[in-house]
Amino acid sequence: MSEEQIKELEIQFEARIARDEKIEPKDWMPEKYRQTHIRQMSQHAHSEIIGMLPEGNWITRAPTLRRKVALLAKVQDEGGHGLYLYSATETLGITRDELLEQLHTGKAKYSSIFNYPAISWADMGAIGWLVDGAAIINQIALCGASYGPYARAMVRICKEESFHQRQGYEILVTLMKGTQEQKNMAQDALNRFWWPSLMMFGPTDAESPHTAQSMKWKLKRKTNDDLRQQFIDQTVPQAELIGLTIPDSDLKWNEEKQQYDSGEINWDEFWQVVKGHGPCNKERMKARIAAHENGQWVRDAAMAYAEKKEKRKTNK
Ligand code: FAQ
């Protein structure tokens, strides 16, 4: 294709984005648009799959049968989200094997939040309330993303995340109605998960290399800072309602802006975790790679079955 033809296609593509049309897998798209989507969507998929680990660890220790069933369903949902997102990413011309290879070799990132340990039952409440709460705010914006398969996956995922968020909040509501020890557990979980949850939204807009372009392509519909602020404004009253204290001494309602002012995030900690030096990075990758290797026989069996079926079809 000549340079002129590519320019013309780019103009038509930008016009489609401006008209809020969805871009579909077989449509022409700039190579950078494709690569940016592969990067973000696959990192999102990896986050869902790695995100099963901290909660998966608590399924056998859930305090009641009801809690166990809900947690089990939630963790399965996260696995399902990973699968929709891998499938959606594959529509951009990359294979599942390549995507997993990127994760297992450390080339692809996954959300920093999952490199923190879940050390008490209250952490199941904090993860559902805060981590899924942050994920929903981010993902509601992504329902309006320009790439069709990503936007459609987000609609379904958001519905499930909202159940997750409520089950997490309800765990904390229950603990906050309990003994002093249970209240302390809930507060301790909030203390440990608050700041890492704010980091989930990514670096500040000023420090984010991808936001400006992703906003132009309508991959991102809101910036990292705007989404983070929305999360703070939504979550602080929920904490207050059940008697929890947000661990930020600078947090204050700003009457003029009609939003909360809040303290500085520890960005050194964020980048350390992103670069692989968080409390659980090594443990998470080890568990993920082991799960992949242990599942080899399932993939082999599925492939053998598919091949046999194909052979039968061609022999008919
Ligand atoms: N952790 O320029 P930006 C969930 C990286 S799902 C690690 O702002 P971008 C459900 C970023 O990749 C949670 N890395 O980049 C659940 C980039 O590096 P790269 C996951 C981070 O892409 C709940 C660099 O920093 N959700 O929780 C993080 O425009 C409970 C520069 O950053 C999604 O993935 C971070 N927090 O914006 C599951 C949502 N932040 O790629 C189980 C979709 C930034 O150049 C249990 N993703 N980085 O090497 C997004 O919205 C965006 O990708 C952002 C980052 C906002 C995460």
Side-chain angles (χ1 to χ4, degrees):
M1 216 182 289
S2 72
E3 256 179 49
E4 252 171 40
Q5 281 169 318
I6 293 179
K7 269 259 145 59
E8 182 50 39
L9 284 170
E10 272 173 2
I11 291 169
Q12 285 171 18
F13 176 85
E14 297 299 342
R16 292 188 66 191
I17 298 277
R19 290 195 297 270
D20 267 339
E21 276 178 33
K22 292 283 181 243
I23 307 299
E24 297 299 339
K26 288 185 178 155
D27 296 345
W28 186 88
M29 61 188 83
E31 185 53 22
K32 275 196 179 152
Y33 178 92
R34 197 174 72 85
Q35 290 302 340
T36 298
H37 278 75
I38 291 178
R39 180 185 62 77
Q40 177 167 323
M41 289 165 66
S42 63
Q43 294 188 5
H44 194 165
H46 301 326
S47 305
E48 300 279 357
I49 298 293
I50 301 270
M52 296 168 78
L53 295 170
E55 288 171 297
N57 191 31
W58 277 89
I59 292 171
T60 53
R61 289 178 282 160
T64 66
L65 185 58
R66 176 174 164 262
R67 294 291 185 205
K68 192 185 187 108
V69 169
L71 187 61
L72 189 60
K74 177 188 190 299
V75 174
Q76 282 179 338
D77 284 352
E78 307 299 0
H81 298 171
L83 298 185
Y84 313 147
L85 286 166
Y86 282 130
S87 298
T89 312
E90 284 175 281
T91 65
L92 289 157
I94 187 161
T95 65
R96 183 86 55 108
D97 283 346
E98 286 170 301
L99 295 172
L100 291 177
E101 170 80 9
Q102 289 177 356
L103 173 65
H104 297 160
T105 55
K107 193 174 160 229
K109 297 187 169 72
Y110 59 88
S111 184
S112 49
I113 190 75
F114 302 116
N115 292 309
Y116 290 85
I119 58 176
S120 81
W121 173 251
D123 290 5
M124 297 304 96
I127 292 176
W129 174 43
L130 300 173
V131 177
D132 285 271
I136 296 171
I137 285 182
N138 173 281
Q139 290 170 174
I140 285 190
L142 291 170
C143 291
S146 60
Y147 188 56
Y150 195 27
R152 289 189 288 273
M154 283 302 117
V155 173
R156 175 160 177 184
I157 289 177
C158 281
K159 285 185 186 156
E160 292 177 351
E161 301 288 28
S162 98
F163 152 71
H164 300 167
Q165 199 255 0
R166 280 181 228 171
Q167 73 85 38
Y169 191 59
E170 201 234 343
I171 289 174
L172 293 177
V173 169
T174 308
L175 289 173
M176 290 306 286
K177 286 184 192 153
T179 62
Q180 190 56 45
E181 203 182 343
Q182 287 170 318
K183 288 179 188 169
N184 293 347
M185 260 170 72
Q187 182 62 50
D188 176 60
L190 172 60
N191 292 349
R192 284 179 290 104
F193 275 94
W194 176 252
W195 293 101
S197 299
L198 299 186
M199 294 175 196
M200 282 177 72
F201 295 95
T204 61
D205 295 349
E207 298 291 324
S208 158
H210 301 302
T211 295
Q213 183 60 65
S214 291
M215 292 289 287
K216 280 190 199 146
W217 277 329
K218 298 185 179 168
L219 162 55
K220 282 181 159 177
R221 305 306 303 252
K222 288 188 180 175
T223 69
N224 299 359
D225 285 338
D226 284 350
L227 291 170
R228 190 171 10 248
Q229 185 67 47
Q230 194 181 327
F231 174 74
I232 294 171
D233 293 341
Q234 175 181 303
T235 311
V236 172
Q238 293 172 354
E240 284 171 354
L241 189 70
I242 57 173
L244 285 167
T245 308
I246 301 284
D248 177 358
S249 54
D250 293 323
L251 190 76
K252 218 169 114 212
W253 178 249
N254 184 322
E255 194 57 41
E256 200 182 316
K257 291 194 195 154
Q258 288 291 300
Q259 64 183 40
Y260 283 93
D261 291 333
S262 53
E264 182 65 19
I265 289 170
N266 182 345
W267 291 113
D268 284 345
E269 175 183 321
F270 170 74
W271 289 114
Q272 281 301 314
V273 176
V274 170
K275 286 179 187 153
H277 312 300
C280 301
N281 295 59
K282 287 197 179 69
E283 186 185 325
R284 300 290 183 238
M285 284 314 296
K286 207 170 142 204
R288 171 85 277 278
I289 291 169
H292 186 70
E293 285 169 356
N294 292 337
Q296 185 61 47
W297 69 272
V298 181
R299 291 189 296 280
D300 289 345
M303 290 310 287
Y305 177 72
E307 273 166 30
K308 204 168 171 188
K309 218 171 142 192
E310 193 55 36
K311 247 188 213 155
R312 267 205 215 124
K313 231 178 15 194
T314 46
N315 285 345
K316 263 187 192 167

